Amino acid sequence: MEGLDSTRAFLRNVKRIVIKVGTAVVTRADGRLAVGRLGALCEQIEELNYQGYEIILVASGAVGVGRQRLRYRRLVNSSFAELQKPQVELDGKACAAVGQNGLMAIYDTLFSQLDVTSAQLLVTDNDFRDPNFRKQLTETVKSLLSLKVVPIFNENDAISTRRAPYEDSSGIFWDNDSLAALLALELKADLLVLLSDVDGLYSGPPSDPKSKLIHTYVKERLEGVITFGEKSRLGRGGMTAKVKSAVCAADAGIPVVITSGLAGSNIIKILRGERIGTLFHRDAHKWVPVEHIGVREMAVAARESSRRLQAISSKERSKILLDIADALQANEKQILAENEADVAVAQQAGYEKSLVSRLEMSSEKISSLANAIRVLANMKDPIGHVLNRTELADGLVLEKTASPLGVLLIIFESRPEALVQISSLAIRSGNGLLLKGGKEAKRSNTILHKIITSAIPQSVGEKLIGLVTSREEIPELLKLDEMIDLVIPRGSNKLVSQIKASTKIPVLGHADGICHVYVDKSANIEMAKQIVLDAKTDYPAACNAMETLIVHKDLMQSGALNELIMELQIKGVDIYGGEKVSTLLNVPEAQSYRHEYSSLACTVVLVEDVYAAIEHIHRHGSEHTDCIVAEDSEVAEVFLHLVNSASVFRNASTRFSDGFRFGLGAEVGISTSRIHARGPVGVEGLLTTRWIARGTGQIVNGDKGVVYTHKDLTQKA
């Protein structure tokens, strides 16, 4: 976070700060004092003191320091024979008495070097039961702070009357974390900082790379969900004690930050408003709504709901889709109103026309979407469909069946209808779904998501489809390879490339939609005109729109090329030429043959023959969709056979490369991958396979008693 945002605005009024430094911060792994870290802490306090902040320090580490010193003294003063005997553990109260003296000596020395005066105040649990003590404590601290003196508090463990001062959790406070919270309340502090040996509160063990730092603790959402170890490395508290103390202080109105004391400037960074550590604040639920769940929890919920979806009958799954189709049409006015607001904002922001075009919804689009969903609903149920059936041996039958992938993450730009198509395909294929749309379609996506999830019965759960609203959550999503089974990006080359480079999760999609139409010398020119115009102008922003027109050189001499270009220009298409065409026709030269215009513009290229056209497509294409217009069947078959794109057409517009037009009901995207689904991806592309064997007690036993038949029973399935 840069600067002050709403969650850190309270810092403007902070003056009095209680800082608690943990044992693991002030001591090294061997128990000795970490003088360098203590020095850095004192330097921060000196700077804050100079800036006018009132600093109260709660210092841990006395017992550890005392134990280290007494062990050394025992080693020096013991005979060799005494050292061979079992060593009795040192008395904790003695350690506290010795260590407190040494700890304060270090603080006094370090602060003196910085021209800061410190004072020691030792307290016990029983002290706070006396109202007069509490009143005197407040007056003393007030006086010290007015003199720019730093009060240093610690529990007086040496004379504590608690039966087991390192284990007993009864009383007013039970360790220095709870003492710090108590002092913050008693002395009316504006901020409590608990310094630890980790950066803050994590969603799991800090050592686990999958654990995430929680920047803002929302008790209503996280209480009882996060677990952590009970003890710190050296002290009594650990993260459990810190969180408990932080929640107590925050509920009473004092903001708390748990952060690392190992870094040399974290306290100053907190006061600058930087997003350091974990913030506890009683208004945190207003900043992070309780109903908002993290992306990991969202993925878990989607998987659980998908399992319930798979468990219901095919008829029930079909009914969900039919209910969604009805709900879309019933809420058409609301959808269009939200979409119009998105379009207005996009236009005002100066977005490109092609993006605005992809963003727009209409009554016709909603009707078309609803009809496509009904087609899906009436399709044969793909889940559990037997792809082949084989008798392995007598009484042992193996089936290869279609099975849902699990949880899909779809990241898409602009097109709100993509949310509808993808959601309906996920339901038909039994998959859980996480959706992240572009900010330009935020309102459209929100209303569509609400309508769709409202039609999902409680027996499945509306969390089957999660809508991710923050762009900042995408990197975290892409790390959930154990939760998410497939990522499908729908958008720009840049978007797809970034996602492929940022995740271990399999990615299905295409980076470019550079589609070609090759007009052979044998083409019917009137047919060619219709196909070329449709491929370019029907929906220029679509990924299956023609970007390059390849023309046989003979059509230049016959005048057919001029006719094709004239038809395009009449429709408002800007023409860019290849190296030859730009000179021959006096049009601007294309900057690159591998360019997706996504608008009313295209490149025109002349070639010697069909083989040159194929070579151009292989070199500059994106293996999306390519077309030949030719009457010569031999030439056409060469093109269809050799062009290795996901979709290859003869005498048909590239715009047919679409899931709905292919009869898939809808599409989740178009894939140019050579693994798994290719071309428009419908229900089948969202399925994997499972092997199911049914036997009658067979065992392998070195294959001694098995007679393999491997008989194909697929037709009998």
Side-chain angles (χ1 to χ4, degrees):
M1 180 187 301
E2 296 180 0
L4 284 170
D5 67 2
S6 60
T7 64
R8 307 273 165 154
F10 67 87
L11 292 170
R12 299 188 186 98
N13 302 316
V14 169
K15 182 178 182 182
R16 183 170 294 180
I17 308 168
V18 173
I19 300 170
K20 186 267 176 178
V21 55
T23 304
V25 175
V26 301
T27 58
R28 304 186 310 187
D30 61 2
R32 296 171 182 267
L33 278 173
V35 179
R37 287 202 291 268
L38 273 175
L41 172 66
C42 291
E43 286 180 350
Q44 287 186 85
I45 292 173
E46 182 272 333
E47 183 176 338
L48 295 174
N49 203 28
Y50 176 77
Q51 293 177 11
Y53 290 100
E54 296 177 348
I55 306 299
I56 299 164
L57 187 63
V58 179
S60 294
V63 174
V65 171
R67 182 174 289 112
Q68 183 72 19
R69 289 191 173 190
L70 289 177
R71 281 175 177 169
Y72 176 74
R73 295 312 310 166
R74 185 165 63 181
L75 177 64
V76 170
N77 296 324
S78 298
S79 66
F80 180 77
E82 289 173 329
L83 290 175
Q84 303 309 303
K85 299 177 182 179
Q87 298 297 304
V88 178
E89 181 59 39
L90 294 166
D91 177 59
K93 294 185 181 298
C95 292
V98 172
Q100 191 63 45
N101 181 54
L103 188 62
M104 280 307 303
I106 293 291
Y107 274 118
D108 186 61
T109 299
L110 292 171
F111 276 129
S112 295
Q113 294 297 315
L114 298 168
D115 238 3
V116 174
T117 302
S118 60
Q120 182 181 28
L121 293 96
L122 296 176
V123 295
T124 66
D125 182 83
N126 283 329
D127 291 334
F128 285 89
R129 302 181 191 278
D130 183 353
N132 291 324
F133 167 81
R134 292 164 61 183
K135 182 179 179 181
Q136 185 58 54
L137 176 71
T138 301
E139 291 299 322
T140 300
V141 171
K142 182 180 179 182
S143 177
L144 290 171
L145 293 175
S146 68
L147 296 169
K148 293 285 186 180
V149 175
V150 176
I152 303 178
F153 281 87
N154 200 344
E155 180 180 8
N156 195 349
D157 289 325
I159 61 171
S160 173
T161 58
R162 195 179 299 170
R163 294 188 308 275
Y166 311 113
E167 298 174 4
D168 186 16
S169 61
S170 63
I172 296 176
F173 67 87
W174 50 93
D175 53 33
N176 277 335
D177 290 310
S178 54
L179 171 60
L182 177 61
L183 288 170
L185 295 172
E186 194 71 32
L187 302 174
K188 295 179 171 56
D190 304 308
L191 176 66
L192 170 60
V193 178
L194 301 176
L195 297 178
S196 179
D197 56 349
V198 293
D199 292 328
L201 179 61
Y202 282 79
S203 59
S207 58
D208 186 345
K210 295 176 183 176
S211 298
K212 305 298 178 186
L213 179 64
I214 298 170
H215 291 291
T216 304
Y217 181 88
V218 182
K219 185 173 70 170
E220 294 83 351
R221 178 160 62 92
L222 297 175
E223 190 173 44
V225 174
I226 298 174
T227 58
F228 22 73
E230 292 294 326
K231 298 291 183 182
S232 67
R233 175 171 57 84
L234 297 167
R236 280 182 283 153
M239 192 54 74
T240 302
K242 288 178 177 58
V243 171
K244 188 173 182 179
S245 299
V247 169
C248 179
D251 284 348
I254 299 174
V256 184
V257 177
I258 298 177
T259 190
S260 173
L262 305 184
S265 58
N266 273 359
I267 303 171
I268 290 172
K269 287 180 179 179
I270 290 169
L271 294 170
R272 287 175 182 165
E274 294 186 32
R275 202 178 190 187
I276 299 296
T278 301
L279 171 65
F280 294 72
H281 197 288
R282 66 181 176 188
D283 292 333
H285 64 282
K286 298 178 181 178
W287 305 328
V288 183
V290 175
E291 62 270 18
H292 172 80
I293 61 172
V295 292
R296 176 178 287 272
E297 292 88 347
M298 193 180 291
V300 171
R303 187 176 293 280
E304 291 174 351
S305 293
S306 72
R307 288 169 179 159
R308 292 193 291 270
L309 177 67
Q310 294 164 33
I312 65 176
S313 69
S314 175
K315 186 176 180 180
E316 288 173 302
R317 284 193 293 272
S318 293
K319 187 178 184 304
I320 295 173
L321 290 172
L322 294 173
D323 288 345
I324 290 172
D326 292 342
L328 287 172
Q329 291 190 301
N331 291 278
E332 179 183 303
K333 289 183 179 179
Q334 195 175 356
I335 295 169
L336 293 178
E338 295 297 302
N339 180 250
E340 285 171 8
D342 280 336
V343 171
V345 171
Q347 290 173 332
Q348 189 175 7
Y351 283 119
E352 294 181 2
K353 289 182 179 180
S354 59
L355 186 144
V356 175
S357 175
R358 292 194 294 268
L359 178 59
E360 291 176 337
M361 297 283 287
S362 65
S363 296
E364 291 75 17
K365 272 190 180 180
I366 294 172
S367 178
S368 177
L369 286 168
N371 290 335
I373 293 172
R374 293 186 181 105
V375 170
L376 272 177
N378 293 319
M379 287 175 60
K380 184 178 179 181
D381 189 5
I383 302 174
H385 175 65
V386 178
L387 303 174
N388 57 56
R389 194 165 184 256
T390 305
E391 180 190 81
L392 301 185
D394 185 34
L396 180 59
V397 176
L398 179 69
E399 292 179 344
K400 183 179 182 182
T401 64
S403 173
L405 285 168
V407 176
L408 315 174
L409 167 60
I410 317 295
I411 303 172
F412 59 100
E413 295 176 340
S414 306
R415 298 184 180 92
E417 68 263 30
L419 184 148
V420 180
Q421 295 172 336
I422 295 162
S423 298
S424 56
L425 284 168
I427 292 170
R428 177 77 278 186
S429 58
N431 288 292
L433 183 61
L434 301 179
L435 294 161
K436 174 63 183 79
K439 64 179 181 180
E440 66 281 352
K442 183 177 181 179
R443 295 180 65 161
S444 303
N445 290 336
T446 300
I447 186 62
L448 289 169
H449 176 259
K450 182 178 180 181
I451 291 168
I452 290 170
T453 54
S454 296
I456 299 173
Q458 290 185 358
S459 58
V460 173
E462 62 181 20
K463 291 181 180 179
L464 174 73
I465 302 172
L467 183 64
V468 181
T469 57
S470 171
R471 184 179 181 182
E472 285 69 33
E473 289 177 305
I474 293 178
E476 186 175 350
L477 280 165
L478 295 176
K479 293 177 183 177
L480 299 179
D481 53 290
E482 82 283 12
M483 299 283 187
I484 297 171
D485 300 286
L486 183 68
V487 181
I488 304 178
R490 291 183 56 161
S492 66
N493 184 328
K494 182 179 179 183
L495 171 72
V496 179
S497 298
Q498 285 178 341
I499 289 170
K500 285 184 175 180
S502 305
T503 187
K504 295 178 181 178
I505 306 170
V507 178
L508 185 70
H510 68 278
D512 295 303
I514 303 172
C515 302
H516 303 77
V517 174
Y518 167 57
V519 182
D520 186 61
K521 65 179 180 180
S522 68
N524 178 314
I525 298 303
E526 291 305 314
M527 179 193 291
K529 289 178 185 178
Q530 296 301 315
I531 290 172
V532 168
L533 284 175
D534 185 79
K536 181 69 262 181
T537 67
D538 180 65
Y539 191 3
C543 62
N544 58 15
M546 179 190 78
E547 303 295 358
T548 301
L549 171 62
I550 305 174
V551 181
H552 192 286
K553 65 176 183 178
D554 289 0
L555 299 184
M556 174 74 182
Q557 298 172 351
S558 68
L561 173 59
N562 286 331
E563 291 182 41
L564 289 169
I565 290 176
M566 188 179 298
E567 293 287 344
L568 287 168
Q569 289 177 327
I570 290 172
K571 290 288 187 177
V573 179
D574 294 327
I575 304 298
Y576 296 88
E579 188 176 346
K580 294 179 182 178
V581 172
S582 62
T583 302
L584 292 171
L585 300 181
N586 193 27
V587 295
E589 185 173 351
Q591 294 183 355
S592 170
Y593 288 131
R594 191 179 177 86
H595 181 68
E596 187 173 4
Y597 292 100
S598 297
S599 62
L600 286 173
C602 73
T603 300
V604 180
V605 176
L606 279 177
V607 295
E608 294 286 327
D609 53 26
V610 67
Y611 294 101
I614 294 168
E615 174 62 24
H616 181 94
I617 291 169
H618 285 169
R619 180 174 296 182
H620 304 291
S622 60
E623 298 189 350
H624 189 295
T625 303
D626 297 294
C627 159
I628 181 172
V629 183
E631 294 300 301
D632 188 325
S633 295
E634 187 176 335
V635 169
E637 288 304 314
V638 167
F639 186 92
L640 296 175
H641 181 67
L642 295 182
V643 173
N644 193 19
S645 296
S647 299
V648 189
F649 301 156
R650 176 190 178 186
N651 294 343
S653 170
T654 57
R655 291 280 291 122
F656 280 104
S657 183
D658 173 84
F660 175 73
R661 297 185 181 101
F662 274 19
L664 306 179
E667 70 175 40
V668 72
I670 291 182
S671 171
T672 55
S673 170
R674 301 195 184 196
I675 299 175
H676 194 54
R678 201 171 184 210
V681 179
V683 171
E684 290 184 3
L686 302 183
L687 298 168
T688 183
T689 57
R690 295 171 64 227
W691 295 96
I692 297 175
R694 293 181 174 88
T696 54
Q698 289 81 1
I699 60 173
V700 173
N701 191 28
D703 290 327
K704 295 175 184 176
V706 181
V707 178
Y708 290 101
T709 58
H710 292 147
K711 185 188 298 182
D712 185 8
L713 303 178
T714 304
Q715 299 302 319
K716 299 178 183 180

